[in-house]
């Protein structure tokens, strides 16, 4: 599906952001480990989370939909050997977290994915899982991967990478391993797994950037999922850069390990108010009010990178409208996401008229530049590139065409409807 984006006169109104993708993956997978029934409320309907939901069904869970927003996962007969290879679709989180669950089972199985996922590196989880005793067959650490389930032993792993996917993979393997499993990372990545393990009764301890889990049985407790700050990010930036905007985004997860974008945008002079903070299912949430702002450039590096890793493409769009230079460093892992997001962002924003260059580990953007548009944008099979381009299109002088915009469905099928409800032309 190709779409045209026209210049907007502002965004106005209030929306509720759909459920968090990272937390939905975890809710589905962890429910599958409870041997009981778990009600999940407000889950993400994105294709990635649907890949996880299908896999837990292949592993013996049955699903009952109560209504559009609630379902019950019955894991009484899970986890058992799947009759077919498990399809991870486009989802890195599904693949890496499931590998942690499946490595310690008493059966063999196979994981595969789409073209983009089959190019992504899996050594980051295979290497530490092998230290725990896991057995895999693969070609150059890429999907398809065969897993020979076996008994695992806990390890104390020092990760060179700050990665919630690697951390969660090892913690999931650790739930079913002898002894303790510890994971230490150079900077703290998102901690949804730790919070949900705690919520579901696992034995888990956190000290600085080190997390330790002991063999535990997760308990079946109902889970209510907050809105996705990574989805809200596109609306936040759209309102900040489009003159006359004033919007409220309700029910957004503001977990500190995810909310780096709010800190960075505030340091860029953004008018963002955090309202009515509260807790649901062990996660902090709030409503966010955003008004058009005169932004200024900043430097983004080090410990904040994992706290905003998925938001860098949309932060780059904001930076094109910020006075001065924005430098993004220490983000080399962006090259291993659904696309090489460093090159993709540079190439597509340059087409629109931005002054942007890439470095091995980031981007340098000089603003404020008027974006001209009048061109065709590619998505690189990457939902976040698609949505970032859309937001940039709202301030381009001339319309832009975005090719294959359907990639948005990976995380945010409701995106266009919600945007259309706020945009004034
Ligand atoms: C995710 C972790 C991040 C993020 C991805 C989702 C998760 O990846 O980019 O979209 O749900 O754990 P890394 O942990 O590999 O950086």
């Amino acid at each position: 599906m190709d779409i045209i984006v026209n210049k907007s006169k502002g965004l106005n109104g209030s929306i509720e952001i759909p459920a968090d993708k990272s937390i939905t993956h975890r809710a589905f997978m962890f429910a599958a480990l409870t041997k009981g029934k778990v009600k999940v409320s407000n889950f993400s309907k994105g294709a990635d989370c649907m890949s996880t939901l299908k896999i837990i069904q292949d592993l013996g869970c049955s699903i009952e939909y109560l209504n559009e927003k609630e379902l019950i996962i019955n894991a009484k007969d899970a986890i058992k050997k799947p009759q077919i290879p498990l399809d991870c679709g486009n989802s890195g989180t599904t693949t890496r977290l499931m590998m942690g669950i499946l490595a310690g089972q008493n059966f063999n199985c196979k994981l595969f994915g789409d073209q983009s996922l089959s190019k992504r590196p899996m050594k980051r989880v295979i290497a530490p899982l092998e230290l725990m005793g896991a057995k895999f067959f693969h070609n150059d650490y890429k999907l398809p991967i065969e897993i020979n389930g076996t008994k695992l032993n806990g390890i104390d792993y020092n990760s060179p990478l700050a990665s919630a996917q690697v951390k969660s993979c090892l913690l999931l393997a650790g739930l079913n391993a002898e002894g303790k499993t510890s994971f230490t990372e150079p900077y703290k990545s998102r901690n949804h797994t730790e919070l949900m393990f705690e919520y579901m009764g696992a034995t888990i301890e956190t000290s600085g950037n080190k997390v330790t889990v002991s063999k535990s049985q997760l308990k079946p407790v109902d889970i209510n999922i907050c809105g996705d700050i990574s989805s809200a990010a596109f609306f936040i930036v759209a309102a900040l850069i489009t003159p006359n905007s004033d919007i409220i985004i309700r029910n957004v997860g503001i977990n500190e390990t995810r909310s780096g974008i709010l800190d960075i945008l505030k340091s860029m002079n953004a008018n963002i108010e955090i309202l009515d903070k509260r807790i649901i299912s062990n996660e902090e949430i709030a409503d966010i009010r955003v008004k058009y702002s005169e932004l200024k450039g900043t430097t983004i590096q080090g410990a904040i990178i994992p706290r905003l890793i998925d938001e860098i493409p949309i932060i780059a769009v904001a930076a094109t409208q910020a006075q001065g230079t924005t430098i993004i460093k220490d983000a080399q892992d962006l090259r291993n996401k659904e696309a090489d997001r460093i090159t993709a962002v540079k190439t597509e924003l340059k087409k629109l008229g931005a002054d942007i260059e890439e470095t091995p580990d980031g981007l340098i953007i000089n603003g404020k530049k008027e974006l001209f548009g009048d061109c065709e944008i590619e998505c690189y099979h990457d939902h976040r590139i698609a949505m970032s381009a859309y937001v940039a299109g709202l301030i381009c002088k001339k319309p832009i065409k975005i090719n294959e915009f359907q990639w948005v469905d990976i995380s945010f099928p409701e995106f266009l409807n919600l945007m259309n409800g706020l945009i004034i032309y």
Side-chain angles (χ1 to χ4, degrees):
M1 177 186 68
D2 303 343
I3 61 160
I4 305 286
V5 187
N6 293 298
K7 189 174 169 84
S8 154
K9 292 207 170 86
L11 284 81
N12 256 282
S14 138
I15 53 166
E16 181 162 332
I17 281 291
D20 189 279
K21 176 161 90 76
S22 284
I23 300 177
T24 302
H25 281 300
R26 286 158 173 81
F28 289 168
M29 287 184 206
F30 300 0
L33 299 175
T34 59
K35 301 191 190 301
K37 280 188 179 181
V38 172
K39 181 163 95 177
V40 182
S41 304
N42 192 35
F43 52 92
S44 162
K45 300 193 175 75
D48 271 8
C49 291
M50 292 302 115
S51 295
T52 293
L53 192 63
K54 169 69 170 51
I55 286 180
I56 66 164
Q57 288 174 272
D58 294 339
L59 292 169
C61 290
S62 63
I63 310 296
E64 183 193 343
Y65 283 86
L66 299 179
N67 52 55
E68 271 235 326
K69 285 202 148 188
E70 293 176 313
L71 55 75
I72 290 183
I73 296 172
N74 185 342
K76 243 178 41 225
D77 297 327
I79 282 183
K80 63 178 186 211
K81 183 175 168 59
Q83 296 308 304
I84 50 172
L86 301 170
D87 184 356
C88 300
N90 187 252
S91 175
T93 309
T94 307
T95 313
R96 296 188 178 123
L97 272 58
M98 284 309 314
M99 284 171 74
I101 292 176
L102 294 168
Q105 303 298 327
N106 59 2
F107 55 76
N108 300 344
C109 60
K110 189 171 177 177
L111 294 178
F112 71 102
D114 73 4
Q115 219 186 3
S116 140
L117 186 60
S118 306
K119 291 193 191 123
R120 294 179 64 187
M122 297 300 157
K123 187 171 181 176
R124 57 186 62 196
V125 286
I126 290 179
L129 285 173
E130 282 179 342
L131 294 175
M132 296 177 77
K135 295 193 182 74
F136 301 101
F137 295 95
H138 52 84
N139 188 359
D140 192 26
Y141 297 97
K142 304 271 162 64
L143 288 178
I145 293 172
E146 272 181 50
I147 303 173
N148 280 8
T150 185
K151 285 206 173 332
L152 303 178
N153 295 305
I155 53 166
D156 187 347
Y157 187 65
N158 235 316
S159 172
L161 206 66
S163 164
Q165 292 184 350
V166 179
K167 173 171 65 180
S168 303
C169 168
L170 288 204
L171 295 177
L172 281 161
L175 276 187
N176 196 17
E178 281 315 311
K180 290 185 172 191
T181 301
S182 296
F183 179 89
T184 308
E185 55 190 343
Y187 301 122
K188 199 175 169 98
S189 63
R190 65 190 67 188
N191 65 354
H192 304 305
T193 296
E194 294 92 304
L195 294 179
M196 205 178 282
F197 270 15
E198 196 181 275
Y199 182 69
M200 297 176 87
T203 308
I204 181 158
E205 257 170 66
T206 301
S207 160
N209 297 344
K210 180 171 185 171
V211 195
T212 304
V213 71
S214 305
K215 196 173 176 116
S216 310
Q217 172 61 54
L218 296 181
K219 296 191 174 65
V221 285
D222 294 346
I223 303 169
N224 193 347
I225 301 175
C226 57
D228 196 329
I229 191 166
S230 299
S231 300
F234 299 103
F235 292 82
I236 294 173
V237 171
L240 286 175
I241 64 174
T242 313
N244 307 311
S245 297
D246 184 356
I247 61 168
I248 291 185
I249 310 170
R250 297 188 309 273
N251 197 24
V252 185
I254 53 160
N255 176 324
E256 208 197 321
T257 61
R258 288 288 294 286
S259 55
I261 183 165
L262 300 178
D263 297 346
I264 280 298
L265 290 173
K266 282 183 184 166
S267 78
M268 294 173 80
N269 200 37
N271 186 340
I272 295 177
E273 279 177 86
I274 309 296
L275 310 166
D276 194 15
K277 285 189 190 173
R278 54 218 188 261
I279 303 280
I280 60 166
S281 301
N282 223 11
E283 291 278 353
E284 189 167 32
I285 72 167
D287 300 335
I288 301 180
R289 181 168 187 177
V290 190
K291 293 183 192 162
Y292 171 74
S293 307
E294 297 286 350
L295 300 176
K296 57 183 175 60
T298 189
T299 297
I300 307 171
Q301 61 185 345
I304 200 162
I305 294 293
R307 297 180 54 223
L308 48 65
I309 187 73
D310 290 339
E311 286 64 74
I312 290 176
I314 191 64
I315 290 173
V317 173
T320 67
Q321 300 310 299
Q323 216 50 257
T325 302
T326 297
I327 300 172
I328 302 170
K329 290 189 206 170
D330 301 327
Q332 54 278 15
D333 207 36
L334 276 187
R335 296 194 185 277
N336 295 315
K337 297 292 178 187
E338 286 81 332
D340 174 342
R341 286 188 175 151
I342 294 180
T343 299
V345 165
K346 188 237 15 214
T347 309
E348 301 310 307
L349 290 184
K350 227 183 197 3
K351 281 187 198 166
L352 300 179
D355 178 348
I356 179 166
E357 290 307 333
E358 68 176 276
T359 59
D361 66 346
L363 294 159
I364 300 175
I365 303 146
N366 291 306
K368 174 178 184 175
K369 282 278 176 299
E370 186 180 21
L371 301 185
F372 189 75
D374 197 24
C375 60
E376 281 191 29
I377 294 290
E378 303 304 330
C379 298
Y380 306 82
H381 299 189
D382 186 326
H383 52 127
R384 298 199 203 282
I385 300 297
M387 291 184 278
S388 300
Y390 186 100
V391 171
L394 295 176
I395 54 160
C396 285
K397 231 173 149 176
K398 298 275 166 132
I400 64 168
K401 179 170 171 240
I402 306 180
N403 294 328
E404 301 191 326
F405 194 73
Q406 73 277 4
W407 282 99
V408 74
D409 292 347
I410 288 293
S411 65
F412 199 173
E414 306 86 348
F415 177 84
L416 278 182
N417 267 345
L418 289 175
M419 268 293 173
N420 285 332
L422 297 178
I423 292 173
I424 307 160
Y425 290 107

